[in-house]
Coordinates of all heavy atoms in Angstrom, one line a residue:
T1 N -14.7 10.6 -5.4 CA -14.6 9.2 -5.0 C -13.1 8.8 -5.0 O -12.5 8.9 -6.1 CB -15.4 8.3 -5.9 OG1 -16.8 8.7 -5.8 CG2 -15.3 6.8 -5.4
I2 N -12.6 8.2 -3.9 CA -11.2 7.7 -3.9 C -11.3 6.2 -4.2 O -12.2 5.5 -3.6 CB -10.5 8.0 -2.6 CG1 -9.1 7.6 -2.7 CG2 -11.2 7.4 -1.4 CD1 -8.2 8.2 -1.5
S3 N -10.4 5.7 -5.0 CA -10.4 4.3 -5.3 C -9.0 3.8 -5.6 O -8.1 4.7 -5.8 CB -11.3 3.9 -6.4 OG -11.0 4.6 -7.6
S4 N -8.7 2.5 -5.8 CA -7.4 2.1 -6.1 C -7.5 0.8 -7.0 O -8.5 0.1 -7.0 CB -6.6 1.7 -4.8 OG -7.3 0.7 -4.1
D5 N -6.4 0.6 -7.7 CA -6.2 -0.6 -8.5 C -4.9 -1.2 -8.0 O -3.8 -0.7 -8.4 CB -6.2 -0.3 -10.0 CG -6.1 -1.5 -10.8 OD1 -5.6 -2.5 -10.4 OD2 -6.5 -1.4 -12.0
N6 N -4.9 -2.2 -7.2 CA -3.7 -2.8 -6.6 C -2.8 -3.4 -7.7 O -1.6 -3.3 -7.5 CB -4.1 -3.8 -5.6 CG -4.7 -3.3 -4.3 OD1 -4.7 -2.1 -4.1 ND2 -5.2 -4.1 -3.4
A7 N -3.4 -4.0 -8.7 CA -2.6 -4.6 -9.8 C -1.7 -3.6 -10.5 O -0.6 -3.9 -11.0 CB -3.5 -5.3 -10.7
K8 N -2.2 -2.3 -10.5 CA -1.4 -1.3 -11.2 C -0.7 -0.3 -10.2 O -0.1 0.7 -10.7 CB -2.4 -0.5 -12.1 CG -3.0 -1.3 -13.2 CD -3.9 -0.4 -14.1 CE -4.5 -1.2 -15.2 NZ -5.4 -0.3 -16.0
N9 N -0.8 -0.6 -9.0 CA -0.1 0.2 -7.9 C -0.6 1.7 -8.1 O 0.2 2.6 -7.9 CB 1.4 0.2 -8.0 CG 2.0 -1.2 -7.6 OD1 1.3 -2.0 -7.1 ND2 3.3 -1.3 -7.8
T10 N -1.9 1.8 -8.3 CA -2.4 3.1 -8.6 C -3.6 3.5 -7.7 O -4.5 2.7 -7.5 CB -2.9 3.2 -10.1 OG1 -1.7 2.9 -10.9 CG2 -3.4 4.6 -10.5
L11 N -3.6 4.8 -7.3 CA -4.7 5.4 -6.6 C -5.3 6.4 -7.5 O -4.7 7.1 -8.2 CB -4.1 6.1 -5.3 CG -5.1 6.7 -4.4 CD1 -5.9 5.7 -3.6 CD2 -4.4 7.7 -3.4
Y12 N -6.7 6.5 -7.3 CA -7.4 7.4 -8.2 C -8.3 8.3 -7.3 O -8.7 8.0 -6.2 CB -8.4 6.6 -9.1 CG -7.7 5.7 -10.0 CD1 -7.7 4.3 -9.7 CD2 -7.1 6.1 -11.2 CE1 -7.1 3.4 -10.6 CE2 -6.5 5.2 -12.1 CZ -6.5 3.8 -11.7 OH -5.9 3.0 -12.6
L13 N -8.5 9.5 -7.9 CA -9.5 10.4 -7.3 C -10.4 10.8 -8.5 O -10.0 11.6 -9.3 CB -8.9 11.6 -6.7 CG -9.9 12.6 -6.0 CD1 -10.5 11.9 -4.8 CD2 -9.2 13.9 -5.6
Q14 N -11.7 10.3 -8.4 CA -12.7 10.7 -9.4 C -13.4 12.0 -8.9 O -13.9 11.9 -7.8 CB -13.7 9.6 -9.7 CG -14.8 9.9 -10.6 CD -14.3 10.1 -12.0 OE1 -13.5 9.3 -12.5 NE2 -14.7 11.2 -12.7
M15 N -13.4 13.0 -9.7 CA -13.9 14.3 -9.2 C -15.1 14.6 -10.2 O -14.8 14.9 -11.4 CB -12.9 15.4 -9.2 CG -11.7 15.1 -8.3 SD -10.5 16.4 -8.3 CE -9.9 16.3 -10.0
N16 N -16.3 14.7 -9.7 CA -17.5 15.0 -10.4 C -18.1 16.3 -9.9 O -17.8 16.7 -8.8 CB -18.5 13.9 -10.4 CG -18.0 12.6 -11.0 OD1 -17.2 12.6 -12.0 ND2 -18.4 11.5 -10.4
S17 N -18.9 16.9 -10.7 CA -19.6 18.1 -10.4 C -18.6 19.2 -9.8 O -18.9 19.8 -8.8 CB -20.7 17.8 -9.3 OG -21.7 16.9 -9.9
L18 N -17.6 19.4 -10.5 CA -16.5 20.3 -10.0 C -17.0 21.7 -9.9 O -17.8 22.2 -10.8 CB -15.3 20.2 -11.0 CG -14.5 18.9 -10.8 CD1 -13.5 18.7 -11.9 CD2 -13.6 19.1 -9.5
K19 N -16.5 22.4 -8.9 CA -16.8 23.8 -8.7 C -15.6 24.6 -8.7 O -14.5 24.1 -8.5 CB -17.4 23.9 -7.3 CG -18.7 23.0 -7.0 CD -19.1 23.1 -5.6 CE -20.3 22.3 -5.3 NZ -20.8 22.3 -3.9
P20 N -15.7 25.9 -9.0 CA -14.5 26.8 -9.0 C -13.7 26.7 -7.7 O -12.5 26.8 -7.8 CB -15.1 28.2 -9.2 CG -16.4 27.9 -10.0 CD -16.9 26.6 -9.4
E21 N -14.3 26.5 -6.6 CA -13.6 26.4 -5.3 C -12.8 25.1 -5.2 O -12.0 25.0 -4.2 CB -14.6 26.6 -4.1 CG -15.8 25.6 -4.2 CD -17.0 26.3 -4.7 OE1 -16.9 27.1 -5.7 OE2 -18.1 26.2 -4.1
D22 N -13.0 24.2 -6.1 CA -12.1 23.0 -6.1 C -10.8 23.3 -6.8 O -9.9 22.4 -6.8 CB -12.8 21.9 -6.9 CG -14.1 21.4 -6.2 OD1 -14.1 21.3 -5.0 OD2 -15.1 21.1 -6.9
T23 N -10.6 24.4 -7.4 CA -9.4 24.8 -8.0 C -8.2 24.8 -7.0 O -8.3 25.4 -5.9 CB -9.4 26.2 -8.6 OG1 -10.4 26.2 -9.7 CG2 -8.1 26.6 -9.2
A24 N -7.2 24.0 -7.3 CA -6.1 23.8 -6.3 C -5.1 22.9 -7.0 O -5.3 22.3 -8.0 CB -6.6 23.1 -5.0
V25 N -3.9 22.8 -6.3 CA -2.9 21.8 -6.6 C -3.3 20.6 -5.8 O -3.3 20.7 -4.5 CB -1.5 22.2 -6.4 CG1 -0.5 21.1 -6.7 CG2 -1.2 23.5 -7.3
Y26 N -3.4 19.4 -6.4 CA -3.8 18.2 -5.7 C -2.6 17.3 -5.5 O -1.8 17.1 -6.5 CB -4.9 17.5 -6.4 CG -6.2 18.1 -6.3 CD1 -6.5 19.3 -6.9 CD2 -7.2 17.5 -5.5 CE1 -7.8 19.9 -6.8 CE2 -8.5 18.1 -5.4 CZ -8.7 19.3 -6.0 OH -10.0 19.9 -5.9
Y27 N -2.4 16.8 -4.3 CA -1.2 16.0 -4.0 C -1.6 14.6 -3.5 O -2.5 14.5 -2.6 CB -0.4 16.7 -2.9 CG 0.2 18.0 -3.2 CD1 -0.4 19.2 -2.9 CD2 1.4 18.1 -3.9 CE1 0.1 20.4 -3.3 CE2 2.0 19.3 -4.2 CZ 1.3 20.5 -3.9 OH 1.9 21.7 -4.2
C28 N -1.0 13.6 -4.1 CA -1.2 12.3 -3.6 C -0.3 12.0 -2.4 O 0.8 12.5 -2.4 CB -0.8 11.3 -4.8 SG -0.9 9.6 -4.4
N29 N -0.8 11.3 -1.5 CA -0.1 11.0 -0.2 C -0.1 9.5 0.1 O -1.1 8.8 -0.1 CB -0.7 11.8 0.9 CG -0.2 11.3 2.3 OD1 -0.8 10.5 3.0 ND2 1.0 11.8 2.7
A30 N 1.1 9.0 0.5 CA 1.2 7.6 1.0 C 1.8 7.6 2.4 O 2.9 8.3 2.6 CB 2.0 6.8 0.0
R31 N 1.2 6.9 3.3 CA 1.7 6.9 4.7 C 2.1 5.4 5.0 O 1.2 4.5 4.9 CB 0.7 7.4 5.7 CG 1.2 7.3 7.1 CD 0.2 8.1 8.0 NE 0.5 9.6 7.8 CZ -0.2 10.5 8.5 NH1 -1.1 10.2 9.4 NH2 0.1 11.8 8.3
V32 N 3.3 5.2 5.4 CA 3.7 3.8 5.7 C 4.4 3.8 7.1 O 5.0 4.8 7.5 CB 4.7 3.2 4.7 CG1 4.0 3.1 3.3 CG2 6.0 4.1 4.6
R33 N 4.3 2.7 7.7 CA 5.0 2.5 9.0 C 6.3 1.9 8.8 O 6.5 0.8 8.2 CB 4.1 1.6 10.0 CG 4.7 1.5 11.4 CD 3.8 0.8 12.3 NE 2.5 1.4 12.4 CZ 2.1 2.4 13.2 NH1 3.1 2.9 14.0 NH2 0.9 2.8 13.3
V34 N 7.4 2.6 9.3 CA 8.7 2.2 9.2 C 9.3 1.9 10.6 O 9.1 2.7 11.5 CB 9.6 3.2 8.5 CG1 11.0 2.8 8.3 CG2 9.0 3.5 7.1
P35 N 10.0 0.7 10.7 CA 10.6 0.5 12.1 C 11.5 1.6 12.6 O 12.3 2.1 11.8 CB 11.4 -0.8 11.8 CG 10.7 -1.5 10.7 CD 10.2 -0.4 9.8
Y36 N 11.3 2.0 13.8 CA 12.0 3.0 14.5 C 11.6 4.4 14.1 O 11.7 5.4 14.9 CB 13.5 2.8 14.4 CG 14.0 1.5 14.9 CD1 14.4 0.5 14.0 CD2 14.1 1.2 16.2 CE1 14.8 -0.8 14.4 CE2 14.5 0.0 16.7 CZ 14.9 -1.0 15.8 OH 15.3 -2.2 16.2
S37 N 11.2 4.6 12.8 CA 10.9 5.9 12.3 C 9.4 6.2 12.5 O 9.0 7.4 12.4 CB 11.3 6.0 10.9 OG 12.7 5.9 10.7
G38 N 8.6 5.2 12.7 CA 7.2 5.5 12.9 C 6.5 5.6 11.5 O 6.9 5.1 10.5
L39 N 5.5 6.5 11.4 CA 4.8 6.7 10.2 C 5.6 7.8 9.4 O 6.0 8.8 9.8 CB 3.4 7.3 10.5 CG 2.5 6.3 11.2 CD1 1.2 7.0 11.6 CD2 2.2 5.1 10.3
V40 N 5.7 7.4 8.1 CA 6.5 8.3 7.2 C 5.6 8.6 6.0 O 4.9 7.7 5.4 CB 7.7 7.6 6.7 CG1 8.4 8.5 5.6 CG2 8.7 7.3 7.8
D41 N 5.5 9.9 5.6 CA 4.7 10.3 4.5 C 5.5 10.6 3.3 O 6.6 11.1 3.3 CB 4.0 11.6 4.9 CG 2.8 11.4 5.8 OD1 2.0 10.6 5.6 OD2 2.7 12.2 6.8

């Protein structure tokens, strides 16, 4: 489940029933629109 707390500027990922195939490096991503540059990650 993905969720957020705007007051804390925080994004969460709740992961339940984890499986071995979930093993990975997890990266948080933010995409914003910037004038002239378009979308920036």
